[in-house]
Amino acid sequence: MQTKSSVHLPAPADVVDPLRLLTQRVIIAVLVLVLTALLVYLDRDGYNDNSDGSVDLLDAFYYTTVSLSTTGYGDITPTSDTARLVNIVLITPLRVLFLIVLIGTTLETLTTRSREQVRLNRWRKKLRDHTVVIGYGVKGRSAVATMLANEMSPDSLVVVDPDPSAIAEANEQGLVAVMGDATRTEVLRRAGVPAANRIVITTARDDASVLATLTCRQLNQTANIVVAVREADNVALVRQGGADEVVTSSDAVGRILGLATVSPALGHVLEDLTTSGTGLEVAERLVMPREEGKQPRQLTDLVVAVVRDGVELPFHSPAIGHLVRGDRLVVIRPSEEYPWARREDAHDTTLADDAEEPGDPADRPPGGV
C-alpha cells in the first residue's frame, strides 16, 4: 500500500522535451568544437607544437579541446600575430559559448526541481473553491470530460488516483493530479480537499468510497460531495458518511439495459441524454427575464424540473405556477444551437428582453426539440 502521496503538475504549455533540449545543446557544442578546430587548422603555421613542431588536423582538435575546456596544457600555443588575433577575435568567444552551453545544461538540471517547487507553491496558494475528483477510471474520466464540456476550467480540477498511468493521463489533459490512496487524510490534504467547493468520488470499490466520503466530510463540512457506488445497498451508508448526492452506477446501467431491451428507441434516447456533445443534452440554467411570468410548457426548451429556493419541483407540480426571477430550470435541449432552438443561457441576459419572442413549438422546422 502506498503511504506517501505526491502532487503531479501538468507540463507547462511552452515546455521543451528535455532529451530534445540536451540533443540540441550537444550539437551546438560539437559544432563549436569543429569550427574552432578548423580555424586552428587553417592557421596551423601560426601555432607551435612542442612535441614535433608542426600542427596537423589531430593536433588542431586536441588544441581546441583543451582550449575550450580551459584545461590549457600549453604544449600547443599560438606564436604568430595572426594566430593570436584569431584567438582573441574568434576562439575566445567560441570558448565562452562552449562554456555557456555546458554550464547552462548543468544549471538547468540543478534548477528543475526548484522550478517545480515554485510552481507547486504557486498552485497551492491559488487553490480555492476547486473540484476534487477521486478516482480517474472510466467514471472519473467521464465526469471530468462532462465538467470540462460545461466550461469548467481545467485549473479548477484536481484528480486523485493511486495508479501512475491514470496520473499521467490526467496530466496530459492539463489537470493537476495527486497520486496516492484517497482514504488517507494526507493524500486528501495534498489535493486541497479542505478548501474544495465540490468533491466527486468514483473509486472502484464501495468500501473505499464510503471511507473516502467519511474522510472528505471530516476535512470539509461545506463541500458538495457526489459519490458513485455500485450497489444500492450502500447508498444509505454513503449518505450517512456525508454524501450530498449518490449515484448507483449498477442500477442506472441495469435500468437503461432493461429499457433498451423493452424499447430500443427509448434506450437510444437515454443513451443520447447521457452522452455530451451530440444530439440531446440535459442542462440547468437560470430563467431568462423574458421568461418570467410564463409557465414551463410555454418555453422553447423542454423543461423537466424547476429549482426554486433550493427545492426541486417536477415540471407538472402545481407549486410552480408561473416562473419567477431566480428560478433555475432543468431542461432537455439540443447539444448544438439551432435557429429554431436557441440555447438561451449562451446569450447575454441583458438582451433577453429585447429578443424576439419564439414562435409556437409547432411552427418550428422538423428536427427541433
Side-chain angles (χ1 to χ4, degrees), residues 77-219:
T77 58
T79 55
S80 69
D81 292 341
T82 302
R84 291 178 177 178
L85 181 62
V86 170
N87 265 262
I88 294 173
V89 177
L90 296 177
I91 295 181
T92 297
L94 291 172
R95 180 186 298 116
V96 173
L97 176 61
F98 188 81
L99 293 176
I100 288 176
V101 171
L102 295 183
I103 294 174
T105 303
T106 303
L107 289 178
E108 183 167 359
T109 301
L110 294 176
T111 57
T112 296
R113 185 176 182 84
S114 298
R115 190 164 56 244
E116 286 299 310
Q117 188 62 43
V118 170
R119 290 183 62 211
L120 181 60
N121 292 338
R122 187 182 298 116
W123 169 75
R124 289 192 182 282
K125 290 180 180 180
K126 296 181 179 179
L127 195 63
R128 294 291 184 276
D129 298 330
H130 57 291
T131 300
V132 179
V133 179
I134 298 175
Y136 201 61
V138 175
K139 292 178 289 186
R141 290 195 299 269
S142 180
V144 169
T146 301
M147 287 185 280
L148 294 176
N150 284 270
E151 300 181 353
M152 184 175 289
S153 171
D155 296 336
S156 64
L157 293 172
V158 180
V159 170
V160 180
D161 199 284
D163 186 3
S165 61
I167 298 299
E169 184 175 350
N171 286 160
E172 290 178 359
Q173 298 298 320
L175 305 175
V176 177
V178 178
M179 185 167 64
D181 184 358
T183 62
R184 299 180 60 85
T185 302
E186 175 195 358
V187 176
L188 297 179
R189 287 188 182 277
R190 287 181 179 270
V193 166
N197 188 30
R198 295 168 294 273
I199 301 171
V200 181
I201 300 177
T202 64
T203 61
R205 296 171 48 184
D206 284 1
D207 56 347
S209 295
V210 172
L211 186 53
T213 303
L214 287 168
T215 309
C216 288
R217 183 55 75 195
Q218 182 183 23
L219 294 174

Side-chain angles (χ1 to χ4, degrees), residues 321-337:
H322 294 83
L323 298 174
V324 299
R325 180 170 300 180
D327 284 349
R328 299 196 65 85
L329 309 178
V330 179
V331 301
I332 296 178
R333 64 187 184 187
S335 296
E336 299 180 1
E337 182 178 356

Side-chain angles (χ1 to χ4, degrees), residues 22-32:
L22 179 61
T23 302
Q24 290 176 346
R25 293 186 175 182
V26 170
I27 292 174
I28 293 174
V30 171
L31 291 177
V32 170

Side-chain angles (χ1 to χ4, degrees), residues 68 122 242 291 314 338 342:
L68 293 182
R122 187 182 298 116
E291 296 172 336
Y338 297 98
R342 298 180 62 210

